[in-house]
Amino acid sequence: MFFKPAELQSREVKPFEGFPFGLSEGSLAGVISTDELAETAFLYHLVANALKDGPVYHIGPGASFSVKVLKRLTEDVSNLYAGNVYSVEELLQALNVVEDGSLVVVSLFPALLNRSAEGVVEVRKLVDRKGLILVLGHTTIELNELDLPGEFRRLYDLPEIFEALAVLRTSSYRGHYRLNMTVLKAPPDYVSAVGDHSIPIDSLIKPLL
């Protein structure tokens, strides 16, 4: 079936209030972090907030996730599931069995074997069919800041079919932290978020350290 009635999506997630955009069901996002603190702040707060409304899955190639750290943000982690995948084929198998409408976070997506534009299209199909909120993340210090569109193409193969593309960085001065973001693409409801942002995150970082 090619067509169905257009409907408002019921679930939307953000890592925290003040984040420039939210992700709704049927959304695909690519998020690059240039340091571990940026990744940790985004990932753990996103998962903690999403757990209130339904299942959350964290998967990746040997990606570690600390339930102990997560419990500093939320006590109830009964909706959290974790697993390892090492290729795009395994990722597709995993996406086929997650609950419809779930948040799925994939760490180190560019490290998966057999990554290709065709594979990303197959991932996109599952996101649409199952109404998933899928975040494909990566953390790297080797990022050409002068050509971010080229970096997303290098790491994500087909960035045109993503709803959101963002680069996250943290900076600190005298014990105060900021999340510095470049949003290259945002969901239609948040098109004004495209551009650069600098957000104070002292209260978000404190429980993670």
Side-chain angles (χ1 to χ4, degrees):
M1 182 177 178
F2 290 99
F3 299 103
K4 61 181 179 180
E7 300 174 344
L8 288 173
Q9 301 300 325
S10 60
R11 187 184 188 190
E12 182 181 84
V13 297
K14 282 185 174 184
F16 53 85
E17 284 301 319
F19 196 79
F21 60 84
L23 295 170
S24 60
E25 294 174 2
S27 292
L28 177 60
V31 178
I32 299 173
S33 301
T34 64
D35 61 86
E36 189 174 0
L37 191 56
E39 179 199 29
T40 300
F42 173 78
L43 172 62
Y44 283 86
H45 282 282
L46 179 69
V47 170
N49 279 345
L51 282 172
K52 304 169 187 174
D53 299 316
V56 177
Y57 301 83
H58 178 262
I59 53 181
S64 60
F65 188 88
S66 173
V67 174
K68 182 178 179 181
V69 172
L70 182 63
K71 281 197 167 188
R72 299 174 191 170
L73 304 178
T74 179
E75 277 299 318
D76 185 3
V77 297
S78 58
N79 274 335
L80 177 66
Y81 303 89
N84 293 327
V85 296
Y86 300 94
S87 67
V88 171
E89 292 83 2
E90 291 180 353
L91 173 60
L92 291 168
Q93 292 172 14
L95 295 179
N96 265 305
V97 299
V98 303
E99 187 173 323
D100 291 5
S102 301
L103 169 66
V104 183
V105 181
V106 181
S107 292
L108 301 176
F109 170 74
L112 295 180
L113 296 175
N114 305 325
R115 209 188 74 232
S116 66
E118 292 81 2
V120 173
V121 170
E122 293 301 317
V123 168
R124 172 83 252 186
K125 287 180 183 178
L126 282 172
V127 169
D128 295 339
R129 178 167 63 83
K130 296 172 68 74
L132 303 177
I133 304 169
L134 179 59
V135 178
L136 303 181
H138 190 49
T139 303
T140 178
I141 60 174
E142 296 178 347
L143 191 71
N144 183 358
E145 295 276 2
L146 299 179
D147 184 19
L148 292 179
E151 291 292 83
F152 273 100
R153 185 166 302 283
R154 177 175 69 87
L155 296 169
Y156 291 93
D157 300 294
L158 202 59
E160 290 86 355
I161 63 174
F162 286 63
E163 270 75 32
L165 301 170
V167 177
L168 311 180
R169 320 164 187 85
T170 52
S171 61
S172 63
Y173 180 69
R174 294 185 176 179
H176 294 286
Y177 295 88
R178 301 189 73 88
L179 181 66
N180 303 307
M181 297 181 56
T182 299
V183 180
L184 282 78
K185 189 176 183 182
D189 290 346
Y190 295 94
V191 66
S192 62
V194 173
D196 293 320
H197 305 264
S198 184
I199 307 166
I201 55 169
D202 285 353
S203 61
L204 303 174
I205 290 294
K206 186 176 180 180
L208 300 174
L209 297 178

